[in-house]
PDB file of all heavy atoms in Angstrom:
ATOM      1  N   LYS Q  30      -4.751 -33.487   1.801  1.00  0.00           N
ATOM      2  CA  LYS Q  30      -4.606 -33.959   0.458  1.00  0.00           C
ATOM      3  C   LYS Q  30      -5.814 -34.717  -0.072  1.00  0.00           C
ATOM      4  O   LYS Q  30      -6.376 -35.538   0.760  1.00  0.00           O
ATOM      5  CB  LYS Q  30      -3.318 -34.734   0.341  1.00  0.00           C
ATOM      6  CG  LYS Q  30      -3.063 -35.152  -1.064  1.00  0.00           C
ATOM      7  CD  LYS Q  30      -1.854 -36.151  -1.035  1.00  0.00           C
ATOM      8  CE  LYS Q  30      -1.500 -36.696  -2.602  1.00  0.00           C
ATOM      9  NZ  LYS Q  30      -2.581 -37.323  -3.136  1.00  0.00           N
ATOM     10  N   GLY Q  31      -6.233 -34.500  -1.344  1.00  0.00           N
ATOM     11  CA  GLY Q  31      -7.270 -35.296  -1.955  1.00  0.00           C
ATOM     12  C   GLY Q  31      -6.789 -36.619  -2.564  1.00  0.00           C
ATOM     13  O   GLY Q  31      -5.642 -37.061  -2.223  1.00  0.00           O
ATOM     14  N   LYS Q  32      -7.594 -37.043  -3.544  1.00  0.00           N
ATOM     15  CA  LYS Q  32      -7.254 -38.420  -4.129  1.00  0.00           C
ATOM     16  C   LYS Q  32      -6.084 -38.330  -5.001  1.00  0.00           C
ATOM     17  O   LYS Q  32      -5.461 -39.355  -5.345  1.00  0.00           O
ATOM     18  CB  LYS Q  32      -8.476 -38.777  -4.969  1.00  0.00           C
ATOM     19  CG  LYS Q  32      -9.612 -39.178  -4.012  1.00  0.00           C
ATOM     20  CD  LYS Q  32     -10.854 -39.637  -4.851  1.00  0.00           C
ATOM     21  CE  LYS Q  32     -12.022 -40.025  -3.925  1.00  0.00           C
ATOM     22  NZ  LYS Q  32     -13.190 -40.612  -4.707  1.00  0.00           N
ATOM     23  N   ASN Q  33      -5.658 -37.148  -5.711  1.00  0.00           N
ATOM     24  CA  ASN Q  33      -4.666 -37.160  -6.681  1.00  0.00           C
ATOM     25  C   ASN Q  33      -3.886 -35.779  -6.563  1.00  0.00           C
ATOM     26  O   ASN Q  33      -4.219 -35.050  -5.734  1.00  0.00           O
ATOM     27  CB  ASN Q  33      -4.965 -37.526  -8.069  1.00  0.00           C
ATOM     28  CG  ASN Q  33      -6.081 -36.678  -8.645  1.00  0.00           C
ATOM     29  OD1 ASN Q  33      -6.043 -35.453  -8.285  1.00  0.00           O
ATOM     30  ND2 ASN Q  33      -7.032 -37.198  -9.356  1.00  0.00           N
ATOM     31  N   TYR Q  34      -3.030 -35.552  -7.527  1.00  0.00           N
ATOM     32  CA  TYR Q  34      -2.320 -34.309  -7.647  1.00  0.00           C
ATOM     33  C   TYR Q  34      -2.965 -33.072  -7.922  1.00  0.00           C
ATOM     34  O   TYR Q  34      -2.502 -31.913  -7.757  1.00  0.00           O
ATOM     35  CB  TYR Q  34      -1.131 -34.511  -8.485  1.00  0.00           C
ATOM     36  CG  TYR Q  34      -1.391 -34.589  -9.973  1.00  0.00           C
ATOM     37  CD1 TYR Q  34      -1.321 -33.416 -10.749  1.00  0.00           C
ATOM     38  CD2 TYR Q  34      -1.582 -35.740 -10.543  1.00  0.00           C
ATOM     39  CE1 TYR Q  34      -1.706 -33.589 -12.049  1.00  0.00           C
ATOM     40  CE2 TYR Q  34      -2.001 -35.930 -11.890  1.00  0.00           C
ATOM     41  CZ  TYR Q  34      -2.014 -34.667 -12.629  1.00  0.00           C
ATOM     42  OH  TYR Q  34      -2.298 -34.785 -13.952  1.00  0.00           O
ATOM     43  N   ASN Q  35      -4.209 -33.218  -8.564  1.00  0.00           N
ATOM     44  CA  ASN Q  35      -4.982 -31.955  -8.945  1.00  0.00           C
ATOM     45  C   ASN Q  35      -5.822 -31.501  -7.749  1.00  0.00           C
ATOM     46  O   ASN Q  35      -7.024 -31.523  -7.771  1.00  0.00           O
ATOM     47  CB  ASN Q  35      -5.914 -32.376 -10.073  1.00  0.00           C
ATOM     48  CG  ASN Q  35      -5.141 -32.527 -11.414  1.00  0.00           C
ATOM     49  OD1 ASN Q  35      -4.200 -31.740 -11.689  1.00  0.00           O
ATOM     50  ND2 ASN Q  35      -5.545 -33.542 -12.188  1.00  0.00           N
ATOM     51  N   GLY Q  36      -5.157 -31.029  -6.630  1.00  0.00           N
ATOM     52  CA  GLY Q  36      -5.802 -30.707  -5.444  1.00  0.00           C
ATOM     53  C   GLY Q  36      -5.098 -29.595  -4.707  1.00  0.00           C
ATOM     54  O   GLY Q  36      -5.205 -29.552  -3.440  1.00  0.00           O
ATOM     55  N   ASP Q  37      -4.452 -28.667  -5.448  1.00  0.00           N
ATOM     56  CA  ASP Q  37      -3.731 -27.611  -4.712  1.00  0.00           C
ATOM     57  C   ASP Q  37      -4.676 -26.640  -4.008  1.00  0.00           C
ATOM     58  O   ASP Q  37      -5.648 -26.298  -4.486  1.00  0.00           O
ATOM     59  CB  ASP Q  37      -2.844 -26.812  -5.607  1.00  0.00           C
ATOM     60  CG  ASP Q  37      -1.698 -27.648  -6.275  1.00  0.00           C
ATOM     61  OD1 ASP Q  37      -1.520 -28.772  -5.799  1.00  0.00           O
ATOM     62  OD2 ASP Q  37      -1.073 -27.251  -7.246  1.00  0.00           O
ATOM     63  N   ILE Q  38      -4.358 -26.237  -2.894  1.00  0.00           N
ATOM     64  CA  ILE Q  38      -4.944 -25.174  -1.959  1.00  0.00           C
ATOM     65  C   ILE Q  38      -4.090 -24.174  -1.659  1.00  0.00           C
ATOM     66  O   ILE Q  38      -2.824 -24.389  -1.287  1.00  0.00           O
ATOM     67  CB  ILE Q  38      -5.520 -25.922  -0.657  1.00  0.00           C
ATOM     68  CG1 ILE Q  38      -6.549 -27.114  -1.030  1.00  0.00           C
ATOM     69  CG2 ILE Q  38      -6.212 -24.892   0.191  1.00  0.00           C
ATOM     70  CD1 ILE Q  38      -6.945 -27.939   0.132  1.00  0.00           C
ATOM     71  N   ALA Q  39      -4.479 -22.978  -1.732  1.00  0.00           N
ATOM     72  CA  ALA Q  39      -3.700 -21.765  -1.495  1.00  0.00           C
ATOM     73  C   ALA Q  39      -4.323 -20.871  -0.471  1.00  0.00           C
ATOM     74  O   ALA Q  39      -5.471 -20.723  -0.407  1.00  0.00           O
ATOM     75  CB  ALA Q  39      -3.241 -21.026  -2.851  1.00  0.00           C
ATOM     76  N   MET Q  40      -3.407 -20.108   0.116  1.00  0.00           N
ATOM     77  CA  MET Q  40      -3.930 -18.967   1.152  1.00  0.00           C
ATOM     78  C   MET Q  40      -3.045 -17.857   1.022  1.00  0.00           C
ATOM     79  O   MET Q  40      -1.842 -17.870   0.664  1.00  0.00           O
ATOM     80  CB  MET Q  40      -3.792 -19.551   2.572  1.00  0.00           C
ATOM     81  CG  MET Q  40      -4.673 -20.713   2.934  1.00  0.00           C
ATOM     82  SD  MET Q  40      -4.702 -21.194   4.621  1.00  0.00           S
ATOM     83  CE  MET Q  40      -5.705 -19.922   5.262  1.00  0.00           C
ATOM     84  N   ASP Q  41      -3.563 -16.595   1.198  1.00  0.00           N
ATOM     85  CA  ASP Q  41      -2.911 -15.436   1.186  1.00  0.00           C
ATOM     86  C   ASP Q  41      -3.589 -14.275   2.121  1.00  0.00           C
ATOM     87  O   ASP Q  41      -4.682 -14.407   2.425  1.00  0.00           O
ATOM     88  CB  ASP Q  41      -2.770 -14.855  -0.265  1.00  0.00           C
ATOM     89  CG  ASP Q  41      -1.555 -13.961  -0.510  1.00  0.00           C
ATOM     90  OD1 ASP Q  41      -0.856 -13.620   0.386  1.00  0.00           O
ATOM     91  OD2 ASP Q  41      -1.418 -13.559  -1.684  1.00  0.00           O
ATOM     92  N   ASP Q  42      -2.801 -13.182   2.342  1.00  0.00           N
ATOM     93  CA  ASP Q  42      -3.301 -12.115   3.118  1.00  0.00           C
ATOM     94  C   ASP Q  42      -4.092 -12.464   4.319  1.00  0.00           C
ATOM     95  O   ASP Q  42      -5.308 -12.155   4.548  1.00  0.00           O
ATOM     96  CB  ASP Q  42      -4.224 -11.247   2.130  1.00  0.00           C
ATOM     97  CG  ASP Q  42      -3.510 -10.704   0.920  1.00  0.00           C
ATOM     98  OD1 ASP Q  42      -2.303 -10.377   1.135  1.00  0.00           O
ATOM     99  OD2 ASP Q  42      -3.973 -10.599  -0.149  1.00  0.00           O
ATOM    100  N   ILE Q  43      -3.428 -13.027   5.228  1.00  0.00           N
ATOM    101  CA  ILE Q  43      -4.082 -13.497   6.523  1.00  0.00           C
ATOM    102  C   ILE Q  43      -3.819 -12.450   7.560  1.00  0.00           C
ATOM    103  O   ILE Q  43      -2.750 -11.912   7.711  1.00  0.00           O
ATOM    104  CB  ILE Q  43      -3.395 -14.848   7.120  1.00  0.00           C
ATOM    105  CG1 ILE Q  43      -3.643 -15.878   5.990  1.00  0.00           C
ATOM    106  CG2 ILE Q  43      -3.967 -15.291   8.334  1.00  0.00           C
ATOM    107  CD1 ILE Q  43      -2.851 -17.232   6.385  1.00  0.00           C
ATOM    108  N   GLY Q  44      -4.891 -12.004   8.253  1.00  0.00           N
ATOM    109  CA  GLY Q  44      -4.849 -10.949   9.252  1.00  0.00           C
ATOM    110  C   GLY Q  44      -5.783 -11.308  10.420  1.00  0.00           C
ATOM    111  O   GLY Q  44      -6.619 -12.191  10.369  1.00  0.00           O
ATOM    112  N   TYR Q  45      -5.499 -10.706  11.510  1.00  0.00           N
ATOM    113  CA  TYR Q  45      -6.408 -10.819  12.663  1.00  0.00           C
ATOM    114  C   TYR Q  45      -6.561  -9.541  13.356  1.00  0.00           C
ATOM    115  O   TYR Q  45      -5.714  -8.665  13.372  1.00  0.00           O
ATOM    116  CB  TYR Q  45      -5.835 -11.886  13.634  1.00  0.00           C
ATOM    117  CG  TYR Q  45      -4.582 -11.523  14.346  1.00  0.00           C
ATOM    118  CD1 TYR Q  45      -4.528 -10.972  15.564  1.00  0.00           C
ATOM    119  CD2 TYR Q  45      -3.326 -11.833  13.701  1.00  0.00           C
ATOM    120  CE1 TYR Q  45      -3.372 -10.599  16.152  1.00  0.00           C
ATOM    121  CE2 TYR Q  45      -2.156 -11.473  14.269  1.00  0.00           C
ATOM    122  CZ  TYR Q  45      -2.147 -10.826  15.525  1.00  0.00           C
ATOM    123  OH  TYR Q  45      -0.914 -10.490  16.140  1.00  0.00           O
ATOM    124  N   TYR Q  46      -7.836  -9.270  13.875  1.00  0.00           N
ATOM    125  CA  TYR Q  46      -8.204  -8.068  14.526  1.00  0.00           C
ATOM    126  C   TYR Q  46      -8.960  -8.269  15.833  1.00  0.00           C
ATOM    127  O   TYR Q  46      -9.716  -9.315  15.938  1.00  0.00           O
ATOM    128  CB  TYR Q  46      -8.971  -7.094  13.526  1.00  0.00           C
ATOM    129  CG  TYR Q  46      -8.409  -7.030  12.192  1.00  0.00           C
ATOM    130  CD1 TYR Q  46      -8.697  -7.932  11.148  1.00  0.00           C
ATOM    131  CD2 TYR Q  46      -7.442  -6.042  11.979  1.00  0.00           C
ATOM    132  CE1 TYR Q  46      -8.067  -7.776   9.943  1.00  0.00           C
ATOM    133  CE2 TYR Q  46      -6.860  -5.945  10.672  1.00  0.00           C
ATOM    134  CZ  TYR Q  46      -7.131  -6.836   9.611  1.00  0.00           C
ATOM    135  OH  TYR Q  46      -6.615  -6.693   8.435  1.00  0.00           O
ATOM    136  N   SER Q  47      -8.910  -7.401  16.658  1.00  0.00           N
ATOM    137  CA  SER Q  47      -9.771  -7.349  17.902  1.00  0.00           C
ATOM    138  C   SER Q  47     -11.271  -7.131  17.565  1.00  0.00           C
ATOM    139  O   SER Q  47     -11.520  -6.298  16.592  1.00  0.00           O
ATOM    140  CB  SER Q  47      -9.374  -6.348  18.940  1.00  0.00           C
ATOM    141  OG  SER Q  47      -7.984  -6.678  19.283  1.00  0.00           O
ATOM    142  N   GLY Q  48     -12.214  -7.682  18.193  1.00  0.00           N
ATOM    143  CA  GLY Q  48     -13.588  -7.513  17.967  1.00  0.00           C
ATOM    144  C   GLY Q  48     -14.173  -8.447  17.042  1.00  0.00           C
ATOM    145  O   GLY Q  48     -13.444  -9.342  16.555  1.00  0.00           O
ATOM    146  N   GLY Q  49     -15.435  -8.323  16.778  1.00  0.00           N
ATOM    147  CA  GLY Q  49     -16.186  -9.343  15.889  1.00  0.00           C
ATOM    148  C   GLY Q  49     -15.806  -9.085  14.384  1.00  0.00           C
ATOM    149  O   GLY Q  49     -15.398  -8.004  14.078  1.00  0.00           O
TER     150      GLY Q  49
END
Side-chain angles (χ1 to χ4, degrees):
K30 182 185 182 296
K32 293 182 178 180
N33 58 38
Y34 68 92
N35 287 320
D37 293 348
I38 300 172
M40 301 184 72
D41 202 359
D42 297 325
I43 299 170
Y45 63 95
Y46 309 93
S47 299

